Amino acid sequence: MARLTGDDLLWNWARWSWSGETVGNMERYVPWEDDHRPINTDHALAVEAMHAALPWHERMVIIAEYTQKNAMFGDLCARERQTKARAWIEYTTGVVLTDTDYKLYLGLFRGQVERRLA
């Protein structure tokens, strides 16, 4: 069996996040249509706990790149998505992230997930 990457584990978490009921007026997005692998709940719960421990602005980086990547930013290329996500993060939290900050938070979390769970 191939070793899981941090990206694999985060996409598993994203599919798990979308597997329950939506709340309020959230638009339904079904990520398992893009990825047919079964959800590993144990891995997803471990990632969820790690994600919940992050400061809110760092959590939002991960949300923008995984759980909301297609639903909220699906029509954008990576640079455009990151620019729009940084504006969303600033508007929501008041924290201004540079392009480097954004990529650093994303890479550090992905690496931490991979080291802990893969």
Side-chain angles (χ1 to χ4, degrees):
M1 178 182 231
R3 177 180 159 95
L4 294 172
T5 66
D7 201 48
D8 292 331
L9 293 160
L10 284 163
W11 279 116
N12 175 73
W13 168 72
R15 290 192 316 276
W16 171 82
S17 295
W18 279 99
S19 66
E21 292 299 314
T22 58
V23 294
N25 64 353
M26 286 179 57
E27 180 180 342
R28 185 88 177 133
Y29 174 70
V30 186
W32 52 86
E33 291 175 356
D34 299 332
D35 187 339
H36 301 284
R37 291 178 289 181
I39 296 171
N40 181 314
T41 303
D42 291 339
H43 285 160
L45 291 171
V47 172
E48 177 69 10
M50 293 170 70
H51 183 256
L54 294 173
W56 185 239
H57 63 281
E58 292 181 36
R59 291 174 66 189
M60 290 181 74
V61 169
I62 308 308
I63 290 167
E65 291 296 318
Y66 290 95
T67 58
Q68 290 295 317
K69 181 177 184 177
N70 294 320
M72 194 170 170
F73 305 104
D75 58 335
L76 304 173
C77 71
R79 178 173 289 287
E80 292 169 330
R81 181 180 61 256
Q82 291 170 4
T83 299
K84 186 174 178 181
R86 288 181 13 246
W88 173 56
I89 292 165
E90 181 179 358
Y91 175 79
T92 305
T93 68
V95 176
V96 178
L97 299 178
T98 65
D99 189 48
T100 301
D101 294 334
Y102 186 95
K103 291 175 183 175
L104 184 64
Y105 290 140
L106 176 61
L108 288 172
F109 187 71
R110 185 173 25 220
Q112 181 184 26
V113 165
E114 185 170 328
R115 284 188 302 280
R116 186 168 298 171
L117 301 175

